[in-house]
Each structure stands twice: as structure tokens, then as C-alpha cells.
Amino acid sequence: PNPNPNPNPNPNPNPNPNPNPTPQPQPQRLGRLAGGAGQASGGAGAMAAEGVIAKVVAAVNLAYTGEAHNRQARKDADNWLCEFRRQPEAWAVAGELLAQPDAGHILHFFAAQTLHTKLRHDFKELPEDQVLGLKQTLLAHLMKALASSDKPVVNKLRLALAAIAVQTNWHGFADDILSGAAAIAPDAGPGAAEMALLFVVEVIPDECRSERLNVPAPQRRAFLEALDGMAVKVFEFIARLSTSGDGATVQRLVNPMLRCLRAWVEHCAVPPTALVQSPLFYATFQALNGESGFEESFEEACDAAVGIMRKYDAAAPANAPVVQEMVPRIMALAPRLRVAKETDPDEFRGFVVLFTEMGEAFLDFLLSDRDVGQQAVFELLLECTSCDDPEVARIPLQFWYRMRMRISEFDHMTQDALMSAFGPVYKQLLRILLPLGRHSSDYNVDSFEVMREYVADALDDCCMMIGAQDVLDDICRALSGAMGLLLGLSPARQLEEWQATESCLFAITCIRNRISVRDSAVFGDLIFALPQLPPVDALRTSSYRIIGYFAAVFRSRGDLLEPCFQFLLAGLGNKGTSHDASHAIRDVCETNFRQLGEPVLGLFDSLGGAHLDSVDENAILQGLSAILCNLPVPRCDQFLQHMLAPSMANLALAAEGKGGADVAKELDKIAVFMKYTRPLEEHVEGLAPEHHPVVLALQRLWPVLAAVLARYPNKSSIVERACRIIKHAIRSAKRHITTDTLRFVTDEMVRFFDAAPQSAFLYVTSICVADYSGGERAAENAQIFCGALVRLSQRVSTILNTEASFDQHPDIVEEYSYLIARYLEVLPSVLAQSGFVPSVLAFAGQAMRVTQREAHTGVLFSLTIFLMLGVPPRDDKRPGGVGLKSNPLLRLSPEEQRMVIGTVQQALAEHGAALVAMLVRVLTSGMPFIGYEGERASPGTVIYGLLQCVPEAFQAWLMESLGSVPTQINENEDKQEFMVQLSKARGARDCTDAAYRLWRRAQNGHRRQAFQAGVGGGPG
């Protein structure tokens, strides 16, 4: 072969080839890798050490074929191999493994993958005089892999050749590969060299654009421009291959030829006129038409046609030649679509994809104000949509969505014109959608549910195009006809032929957000008819949903409320309908609580025999809570006490170790009442705090909750549920929570936490601080909160007293950090006066060592707010440089601001150096990087806060801490670059990016160390 590594080669892909190329031996440095695949490697120094090869083989066997139960060993082996690929000796080892014919598929795949990786990332390691031999070696191994049909190895080797083509500006790859393959394997059979060429040519454009290919940007751009320039000649070159052999050989080449067309069209700038004149373009439609010699190429032809349509935007005038050629040729395939629908499901699916892609790609062309045959295209797409196979039918539904969205992008006048012009098409679509949503025994459950999601979206598109009222009218007409037919059948046949009625009911539920119940005549008549439908679960489910979604209709049709409520109650006894019935009862109660009143509360006493799951039962309890809210306070308290009594009794027994109650389930029931029982303002206006129903309920509940917490002190699921009850009660009672009640609750949280440290107690305290730190009693409440913080902090310090303890109790680290953040946010001046600020900073500096993501984010968040308090607020009211939405300092007087800022600055002077040392440790010690993906806080928000608060001191602390990081982990250049990037940072995002780069390089350093430590004994 005659590869051309000249940096300014002839861009013609068909230079004058050497008619009789002969493989030439090349200088030996990297063993077999540098010579031909069959050559002996030169010298002991050129051979990879046998010991290293043995370790690689052992690691590959363990990583790829090791015992499944030994996951850690396989993971260690895989990590070791990943690090090995970064080493210079990986070139030689990969060459040796590929040259061993008996190495087996797995080792050959690893070797080919390694060479591809090295060529992408470490090409500079390869001596210049080895490049020519490497191309030859890769091509030789590609021919062998093609002969043995080893597709994974073929793929990696062709990608490696593509990578080396870009790295060496190998513009003459076409002739070189073709002639080289023929010379290397002259006995491979007809078409073998051409097949090798097509396999490589297909992936060159994609590999050139790959971000994983480490090549200078100017070189990449230059090669891409060269590919653009040679694309037409490459197509001609490939097309000539189809005339150089017998029919069987050409037929084998058609598929890779079409794949090349798709790849080059996708990644290169092929002029539209040149494309439609290419023989490959016409070969695409020969395959789509099933012409002789192209029978096995339908799928590749579909992909190529789709790729062309996606590349050439119909809105661009320059692409008119492609549009004008593609649309009529694809439309001419309509008869084949109809034949395939009856005879070949796979081919039919391909045609549906093709027509859908045509509609989407040429949508602006179809939306033209002149007649370009749009109606024929829309009718064909409607025909595709009406397919019985849900997997296929939902493909064109994407087109109708895109068409609706494209119309919505025009100005209002144009929108109205387009909706008027194409509204009838959506009317036709609506008639197709109703049957598409029907139940069928041919559907599996997953396909049916996915199909219904698509139908629901398409119904929404119809609402937008022709109006929700028109859609509802059409559905109701269809429903009326379907219900008339259904109710006219015998009871036995009704149980078999209900699907059309149910699909109409389902359609109404899909457009519920687009319509209102003001048209009470429609909904009143509909809801009146629902109880008459046969007792089929699917029918009942859709009926119950309609009653729940449109429960407001009972405000004007009160006569329907009682029979419909009884209809819903009947559904509770059926496992197939109980979920929707219970949620509909909730919706009816919440919407019609004034009409229902006390009588419906009797439902509570019958729930025990309904055998509902907890979610459904709690939905009903939520609805009953809405009824309670409308009652006068005495009656509300009476009923609430009655409804809480069974759960309280069961919990009391459980606390004594008696009974068989599900404690978590009983606590959840109580939590529902505490959350949703919020009496109307008209009933609690002027009410004494001690008479509020929720306050009274909390007082009655407290002994039971305390007993449960004492019984299950270490069961976090129980503790969290009990605390959830307290949280909801505090929020539901609002201003009726007195200072004494608040003191009692916070004291109890401290007592519970002291006895059994659970993070939920910290969370409840945080809620109290957030909800009751302002108002008339702010000063008195602040003293309560500060006392609670001191006592909680003392207990936390006894738990988090070793380095390992932070990772052992991540939940406490997380909630305590957010508790601190809450105090800093709502009580900054009180906290500053308490002398507690230095302790906050000291804790955060220690807690940054925690590796659990949520806990670490909480620590960074508390630090972010802390540092915000050390910077004077900006005049434009934005936060002080740490990227949060509000600055607590803005709520303080100027004197208080100066006091808080001074306190924070003093704390940083005392503990800042230790904080920065821990921050550097987090970034360089191998811990995971947290905060790069947009979490609430990140190392960048902390770093930027420090730059804003104490810029000079921070830089000094940072330089000192970075100096202690070994150069094996982060080289001095890494540290200097980090400092420079911080000096240019304009915000927290810039600091996060700089910190991430430092962390990534530290990770690489740790991997290098781990690999070097493992070289002596291999992985594991």
C-alpha cells in the first residue's frame, strides 16, 4: 500500500494507484504492531514483556468472563485494564495479542479496542516511522476479522483505521485501503478488498467529528473540509465498485455502500445537486422499490433515505433539488406500503418510518400556501396512523405533534390560516385516534399503556388545532353512538363488546385540562349515564376518572351527587377499580365539601371492611379531611378525634408490644389528617389557640407518639413518619401554634434526638425555625431556637467525633447542615450575637470529608450561605456573589449587617485555613466530585464565596494547601493553572469548572498510582 502521510496531500480519493503494491517491512520498535501482521517482531527490546502480557490476559479474562458473583474483582480488573490502556506499552501488548491467531475473540476485541483508544488519545506516543506499518497491520487484521465475521473486532479495527486517517491527514485512504487490502489478502475472494474499504470509509466522517478523538482543532477542521471536498468523488469511487464484479459480489456490496452514503451525507457537506445526480442516490430508491439485486437492502435504503431527509432542510432554497426528487419518489412507494401492510410487517414498519420522516423533514414544504400535493401526503400519513399494530401506529403520531408545534411558531394571523386549512386533517386524525385507544387482546399491557400515552398527546394536538369544544363534541357523538349500541345488547354481549365505549370515555379523560364543566348539559347527561354501563373493570375505571376529573359538575347538578357517590362506593369493593374509585371520592369531596357535609363522614367507619391498600385509603381520608375543614370548630374537633381514635389505639398497643397493627400504616393515616385538616378561615377567625382542632389533636397524639418513638428509637421509617405528623400539625395550625407549644415541640425534638439520634428530629426543628422565625413573637421564638441549636449541636458533636463517623452518619450530617443553613438564612443576626458562628464554620470544615452525595451537598450549601453573610449585599439586591436567589443580609438594618459581616470575617480568620485545606483535600484525595451537574451548591460556590469574602487570605491559604498535594497526584502545572483560572473567575460556575479540572487530573494521578502499585502483582 501507498498511504500518503504528507500534510498537504492530493484531496483526490483516487490518486494514481500502484498496480502491484507490495507490503514493505518497517522499522521495528513496538513488536508485531510495527510490521505486517505475519512478520516476526524484531529484537527482545521490541517485544512486550511476557509478564505484562500474562497480566493483561488474566485481567481480560477476569473482567469479561469472571464469575458474576465476584463483582468487585471484575470491577478491579476493568479499572486496571483502563489504566493499562493509558500506558505506552499498551501499543506493543495490543499488537502481540492481535498477532496471536489462537488468542480468541475476547482478547482480540480488547486488543483492537486498545489500539483504537490509543489512536484517539495517545497518538503522539507513536513514533513517526511506525505509522506506515501500523496502517498496514490494522488493515491486515481487519481483513482477517472480516473473513471470520467477527463483527465487534471488525468495528474496532475500522474505527482505529479511521482515527489514524484523521491523525495523519490520510487523504488518499480510498485507493490505499483498496490496493493494500488486495495485496495483503489476495486469496480472500471477490469483493473482499472492496468490503474492507467500504467498512472503513463509512466511519471516517463520524470518527473525525468525535469529541473523543484527541486532535488539534485546526487539523480536525482541515480534514473535515477535505472530506467535504472529496465527498462527491468518494461517491463516484464507491459507485464504480458496483460495476467491478459479478452479480453476487455486487449484491454483497450494496448494503455497505448505502451505509456509506448515509454516513457521508450526515457528516459532510454534499451539494444537493451533486447528491441527486449520484448513482448511490438512485440505488437507494432501487432498494426501496425492491428491484433485482437490491432485495436484501431495504433496511439500509430506509436509513439512507431518512438520513438524506434529515440533512437537507426543505426550508432552505438551495435544497430544492433534493426535495423535488425525494418527495415524488417516496410518494410513488405508496402501493408498496399497502402491499407490505398485508404481507410483510417489518417492511411495512420501514415504510411508515420513511413516510413519517418525509413529513417531518419537509414540513415547511407541506405547509406551503400553494398546492404541492400536501393532501396526498397527509392522507398517506393518516393511513399509516390507522395501523392495527400499536408499535407502528404510534410512529406517525410524532408527525402530527411536530406539525402542530410548527404551526404554533407562526404569527397569529398565519396560525389561523394554517389551522383553517389543515384543521380538517386533524378532524380525520381524531376519528382514527378513538379506535387506536381501544382495548385489545392482541396488545400486551406495556404496549397498550404506551400507545394510550401517545393517543392522549395526539388528542391534545387535535384540541389545539380544531378547538377543544369541537373535539369534545366529536367524542361525545361517537360515545353516544357506542353507548347506544352497547346498551342495546344483551347483558352477556355487553360484557364482550364494551371497548368502543371505553375508548371514548378514555378520550374525554385525556382532554380534561382543555375543557371546563360549564357545559353542564353535556357532562350532566354523561355522568348520569355512567352507572348504567355494564360492570366491566375498564369501563368502571374510566367512568370513575371522569366523575373525579369533572366533579365540579355537581355544583350545578346536585341531583346527581348522591347516585354518583353510591356508584363510587360500589367500586371500592373491587380490586380492579378501587384505586380510581377512591381517588374519585377524594376529588368529589374536595370539590363539593359544602354539599356533602357531615353525612359523608360516616364513610370512615366502613373503610375497615373495604380492604383497600394504604394509598387508596389515604386518598379517601384526604377527601374526608376536606369535609372536616368546612365544619364548625366543635364538630370538626369531634369528628377528627373520632377518626384518629382507632389509629391511636392501635399505636398505643404497638408501643406496649401488643396487637398486630402496621405501625407505619397507622402513622400515615394520622399524617393525612394532620396535613389536610385546615379549617376554613371563617371558622377559626378569633379562635383561641388552644381550641384549634389540630392543636387539640396534637396534644392528644403526643403521648402516643412519644411511646411509639420510645418503642422504635432506631427504626428510621417509624421515626420519620412520626415526625411527619408533627411537621404537618405545626403547618396546619399556622398562627395558632403558641410560643409555649413551640418551646414544647423543640424541647421534645432535642430530648428525642439526645436519646436516639435520628435526622428526622433535626428536620422538624428546621421546619419550626423556617415557619416561626418572623412575626410578632420573632424575638421570643429566636431565643427558643438558639437554645435548641446549642443543645442539638452538643449532641451532634458526640456523634460526629471521628473522621469515619461522618460517613457512618450521612443523614445526620445532611440534616444538621441544612438546619445550620436555615438558621443562617432566617436568623443571621441572632446567630452572630450568640457566638456560635465559629462553631458553624469549624463543623463545615470537618463535614466536607463526607462522601455521600446528599450529605456533602448539604454541607456545601450551608457553607455557601455562610459565606454570603460575609459580603456586603449589592445595591441591585442580588445575592452577594454566591449564586443564590436571596441574601439574608437584605432583611437586616445597616448596623446588623456590619455586625454579621464582621462576625463571619472573624470566623474565617480563625478557621479559614483549615477550611481551605479540607476543600483542597476534597478536590485531590480521590473523593467524588459533587455539584458539577447543578446541585444546590458545589465547591465552586464555596470557592467563589471565599474569593468574595477574603480574597487575599484565601489565595495564601490555597497556595499553602496545594503545596502539600504530591506532584504525583497534581503536577505543579495543574496547580498553577487552577490558580490562574480562579483569578479570572467571574462567577461560581467558573470556579466549579476550574475545581472540576483540578479534580479530574487528581483522579488520573490516583489511577496512575493504583496502576503502578498493581503492576507487580496485576489487578486485584
Side-chain angles (χ1 to χ4, degrees):
N2 183 27
N4 183 5
N6 191 322
N8 296 299
N10 183 353
N12 186 347
N14 186 23
N16 297 326
N18 182 350
N20 297 299
T22 303
Q24 298 295 323
Q26 299 298 322
Q28 301 295 314
R29 285 192 188 177
L30 299 174
R32 294 184 187 273
L33 179 62
Q39 292 178 236
S41 53
M47 293 290 292
E50 292 184 4
V52 175
I53 293 180
K55 292 172 186 174
V56 170
V57 171
V60 170
N61 289 332
L62 179 58
Y64 287 81
T65 63
E67 297 178 357
H69 68 272
N70 197 350
R71 293 183 179 179
Q72 188 58 48
R74 296 180 69 176
K75 182 179 178 180
D76 292 343
D78 185 62
N79 291 339
W80 189 89
L81 290 171
C82 289
E83 185 57 37
F84 168 76
R85 286 197 183 101
R86 297 184 175 92
Q87 310 307 313
E89 56 265 38
W91 295 97
V93 170
E96 290 288 343
L97 292 176
L98 275 175
Q100 296 176 8
D102 299 328
H105 162 74
I106 293 176
L107 286 172
H108 283 165
F109 175 78
F110 171 78
Q113 185 182 46
T114 298
L115 287 178
H116 180 216
T117 301
K118 297 296 286 184
L119 285 166
R120 274 184 164 183
H121 302 291
D122 304 317
F123 181 73
K124 292 181 180 180
E125 293 178 355
L126 190 67
E128 187 175 350
D129 57 4
Q130 302 291 314
V131 173
L132 191 59
L134 177 55
K135 292 178 181 178
Q136 178 180 330
T137 299
L138 291 171
L139 186 56
H141 288 305
L142 176 63
M143 294 300 293
K144 288 184 177 181
L146 281 169
S148 61
S149 300
D150 193 339
K151 293 182 180 180
V153 175
V154 167
N155 189 52
K156 287 300 177 184
L157 289 172
R158 68 173 181 162
L159 288 170
L161 279 164
I164 202 171
V166 182
Q167 295 283 13
T168 61
N169 289 305
W170 188 12
H171 290 197
F173 55 81
D175 267 328
D176 293 342
I177 292 174
L178 185 61
S179 58
I184 288 171
D187 301 325
E194 289 83 353
M195 186 71 75
L197 170 63
L198 291 172
F199 268 71
V200 177
V201 169
E202 177 190 349
V203 296
I204 285 177
D206 184 51
E207 184 70 11
C208 185
R209 290 187 179 275
S210 173
E211 295 181 356
R212 297 183 179 182
L213 183 67
N214 184 17
V215 64
Q219 181 178 336
R220 187 195 301 271
R221 286 195 298 271
F223 198 79
L224 283 171
E225 291 173 1
L227 293 179
D228 290 343
M230 69 175 72
V232 175
K233 294 181 179 179
V234 167
F235 288 169
E236 295 172 355
F237 188 77
I238 294 174
R240 285 199 297 271
L241 297 179
S242 64
T243 63
S244 60
D246 56 50
T249 300
V250 172
Q251 192 167 358
R252 290 202 308 275
L253 296 177
V254 170
N255 285 350
M257 289 167 58
L258 292 175
R259 289 196 295 267
C260 286
L261 172 65
R262 179 195 57 77
W264 280 67
V265 164
E266 179 181 353
H267 296 290
C268 300
V270 182
T273 303
L275 173 65
V276 298
Q277 293 174 352
S278 169
L280 295 181
F281 179 82
Y282 294 100
T284 300
F285 287 95
Q286 287 177 286
L288 290 173
N289 279 294
E291 295 183 14
S292 176
F294 294 87
E295 296 90 340
E296 304 300 322
S297 303
F298 178 78
E299 184 176 343
E300 283 72 15
C302 281
D303 290 342
V306 167
I308 292 171
M309 290 187 291
R310 289 180 176 177
K311 181 64 177 287
Y312 293 91
D313 183 5
N319 294 332
V322 175
V323 179
Q324 293 166 1
E325 286 287 336
M326 292 287 289
V327 172
R329 289 179 181 275
I330 294 177
M331 291 300 296
L333 297 170
R336 285 182 54 79
L337 166 80
R338 298 183 180 105
V339 172
K341 186 175 183 179
E342 303 298 330
T343 60
D344 190 336
D346 292 335
E347 190 169 291
F348 176 69
R349 180 188 179 94
F351 279 124
V352 170
V353 170
L354 190 64
F355 285 114
T356 302
E357 290 283 350
M358 179 191 69
E360 293 179 0
F362 302 146
L363 187 54
D364 284 347
F365 180 72
L366 297 175
L367 294 178
S368 171
D369 56 0
R370 57 191 177 88
D371 185 3
V372 292
Q374 299 99 321
Q375 191 60 37
V377 176
F378 293 145
E379 289 177 358
L380 198 55
L381 287 168
L382 287 168
E383 187 175 345
C384 293
T385 309
S386 63
C387 171
D388 293 332
D389 185 348
E391 299 286 343
V392 177
R394 66 176 182 242
I395 294 172
L397 291 180
Q398 290 286 336
F399 165 78
W400 303 111
Y401 165 74
R402 293 180 186 276
M403 180 173 170
R404 190 264 291 181
M405 290 300 296
R406 181 68 184 98
I407 290 175
S408 70
E409 294 172 2
F410 290 99
D411 61 78
H412 293 300
M413 184 177 296
T414 305
Q415 283 186 41
D416 291 341
L418 291 173
M419 288 179 179
S420 175
F422 301 120
V425 177
Y426 279 82
K427 279 271 191 180
Q428 293 177 267
L429 174 63
L430 177 60
R431 288 193 287 271
I432 293 172
L433 291 174
L434 295 179
L436 277 183
R438 289 182 186 176
H439 282 264
S440 171
S441 58
D442 297 333
Y443 293 176
N444 63 55
V445 175
D446 292 338
S447 294
F448 177 68
E449 292 301 325
V450 172
M451 186 65 209
R452 283 209 150 180
E453 291 177 7
Y454 276 80
V455 169
D457 291 340
L459 286 167
D460 189 65
D461 297 333
C462 291
C463 288
M464 297 297 291
M465 287 294 294
I466 60 180
Q469 189 59 51
D470 285 350
V471 171
L472 177 63
D473 291 343
D474 281 4
I475 296 174
C476 287
R477 278 192 289 271
L479 176 61
S480 177
M483 288 182 68
L485 291 175
L486 177 64
L487 296 176
L489 300 174
S490 66
R493 290 188 62 191
Q494 287 181 9
L495 298 178
E496 297 176 354
E497 302 181 23
W498 48 268
Q499 291 82 358
T501 298
E502 192 279 334
S503 70
C504 293
L505 296 177
F506 164 74
I508 292 175
T509 67
C510 293
I511 63 172
R512 62 187 182 276
N513 294 325
R514 297 288 184 187
I515 55 181
S516 70
V517 298
R518 286 179 295 180
D519 188 0
S520 58
V522 172
F523 286 104
D525 295 342
L526 171 60
I527 290 177
F528 173 78
L530 293 179
Q532 304 173 39
L533 296 176
V536 177
D537 285 357
L539 271 176
R540 291 288 171 92
T541 293
S542 294
S543 299
Y544 294 153
R545 289 178 181 174
I546 287 178
I547 292 173
Y549 293 153
F550 302 107
V553 73
F554 298 118
R555 294 174 181 171
S556 57
R557 291 294 303 272
D559 58 302
L560 299 176
L561 185 55
E562 176 62 24
C564 281
F565 206 85
Q566 294 301 320
F567 179 52
L568 295 176
L569 293 177
L572 296 180
N574 183 345
K575 187 176 181 180
T577 60
S578 59
H579 176 78
D580 292 286
S582 59
H583 284 72
I585 288 173
R586 177 201 62 193
D587 296 338
V588 171
C589 289
E590 290 183 337
T591 309
N592 303 277
F593 55 85
R594 294 185 186 277
Q595 294 166 270
L596 290 170
E598 285 189 20
V600 80
L601 295 176
L603 173 59
F604 175 81
D605 295 321
S606 63
L607 289 179
H611 304 293
L612 301 173
D613 66 28
S614 58
V615 173
D616 297 340
E617 183 175 2
N618 289 342
I620 294 176
L621 298 183
Q622 181 179 339
L624 297 182
S625 298
I627 304 295
L628 292 177
C629 296
N630 189 51
L631 299 180
V633 168
R635 298 296 288 167
C636 176
D637 178 51
Q638 181 181 349
F639 276 103
L640 181 59
Q641 184 176 355
H642 171 72
M643 293 178 180
L644 293 177
S647 294
M648 291 174 62
N650 290 334
L651 290 174
L653 289 174
E656 297 174 1
K658 302 175 184 178
D662 185 333
V663 175
K665 183 177 180 179
E666 299 297 340
L667 290 172
D668 286 341
K669 291 180 186 178
I670 296 174
V672 170
F673 285 114
M674 293 296 98
K675 181 176 183 180
Y676 294 104
T677 303
R678 299 187 176 189
L680 300 179
E681 189 63 29
E682 62 194 67
H683 294 312
V684 297
E685 183 68 30
L687 183 69
E690 62 272 14
H691 294 154
H692 192 285
V694 174
V695 174
L696 292 170
L698 186 60
Q699 292 174 354
R700 300 184 189 108
L701 280 168
W702 202 272
V704 177
L705 294 178
V708 169
L709 291 171
R711 178 74 182 182
Y712 304 100
N714 299 314
K715 195 165 184 178
S716 58
S717 61
I718 300 297
V719 174
E720 288 171 5
R721 283 174 165 84
C723 288
R724 194 175 300 142
I725 291 172
I726 300 169
K727 175 192 76 172
H728 290 319
I730 289 172
R731 287 186 160 170
S732 294
K734 297 181 181 178
R735 66 179 185 276
H736 292 85
I737 295 293
T738 64
T739 299
D740 289 339
T741 302
L742 203 59
R743 181 181 292 107
F744 172 78
V745 171
T746 53
D747 286 347
E748 287 291 275
M749 292 302 101
V750 172
R751 182 175 69 84
F752 291 145
F753 185 76
D754 189 60
Q758 292 279 349
S759 59
F761 301 127
L762 301 175
Y763 176 68
V764 172
T765 306
S766 177
I767 295 299
C768 292
V769 174
D771 290 0
Y772 294 94
S773 59
E776 299 176 354
R777 296 172 291 170
E780 190 175 358
N781 291 347
Q783 297 303 315
I784 296 173
F785 297 145
C786 283
L789 179 61
V790 170
R791 288 177 288 164
L792 289 171
S793 301
Q794 291 171 347
R795 185 66 176 99
V796 168
S797 67
T798 66
I799 302 167
L800 307 176
N801 55 4
T802 64
E803 185 167 336
S805 63
F806 287 86
D807 275 324
Q808 293 168 354
H809 304 281
D811 56 331
I812 291 179
V813 174
E814 178 186 2
E815 288 301 340
Y816 183 70
S817 296
Y818 282 117
L819 178 65
I820 292 295
R822 189 78 74 181
Y823 275 83
L824 290 169
E825 187 175 2
V826 301
L827 297 171
S829 60
V830 176
L831 201 62
Q833 292 171 346
S834 70
F836 200 72
V837 169
S839 301
V840 169
L841 189 59
F843 165 78
Q846 293 290 318
M848 267 198 295
R849 71 183 79 220
V850 69
T851 57
Q852 202 263 356
R853 176 173 292 275
E854 287 75 15
H856 194 89
T857 301
V859 174
L860 296 177
F861 182 71
S862 66
L863 269 174
T864 297
I865 294 187
F866 179 90
L867 294 169
M868 183 192 295
L869 300 178
V871 183
R874 296 177 178 177
D875 294 337
D876 58 6
K877 306 300 183 185
R878 288 185 297 164
V882 287
L884 296 184
K885 293 182 179 179
S886 61
N887 192 321
L889 292 175
L890 295 174
R891 296 192 295 270
L892 305 180
S893 66
E895 294 78 11
E896 289 176 318
Q897 288 183 13
R898 287 190 291 271
M899 183 266 295
V900 171
I901 293 171
T903 304
V904 170
Q905 295 275 350
Q906 180 60 36
L908 284 170
E910 297 175 10
H911 300 283
L915 175 69
V916 174
M918 182 59 70
L919 182 61
V920 170
R921 174 181 169 180
V922 167
L923 295 176
T924 61
S925 66
M927 289 176 59
F929 191 96
I930 296 171
Y932 192 75
E933 300 298 332
E935 285 86 348
R936 301 181 69 182
S938 70
T941 61
V942 175
I943 291 171
Y944 192 64
L946 287 165
L947 282 170
Q948 297 294 297
C949 285
V950 285
E952 296 179 359
F954 171 62
Q955 292 185 28
W957 298 332
L958 186 58
M959 291 180 63
E960 180 181 355
S961 299
L962 288 173
S964 63
V965 178
T967 54
Q968 296 91 334
I969 302 300
N970 283 105
E971 298 178 356
N972 290 331
E973 290 79 2
D974 299 339
K975 303 171 186 177
Q976 292 169 1
E977 181 184 352
F978 180 55
M979 296 293 293
V980 170
Q981 289 171 339
L982 293 186
S983 68
K984 299 178 180 179
R986 299 174 62 89
R989 181 72 247 182
D990 293 339
C991 293
T992 297
D993 291 340
Y996 185 71
R997 293 189 193 98
L998 182 72
W999 174 83
R1000 283 292 300 270
R1001 291 171 183 174
Q1003 293 290 99
N1004 291 336
H1006 284 289
R1007 280 195 290 265
R1008 285 192 298 269
Q1009 279 195 335
F1011 174 78
Q1012 292 164 2
V1015 166

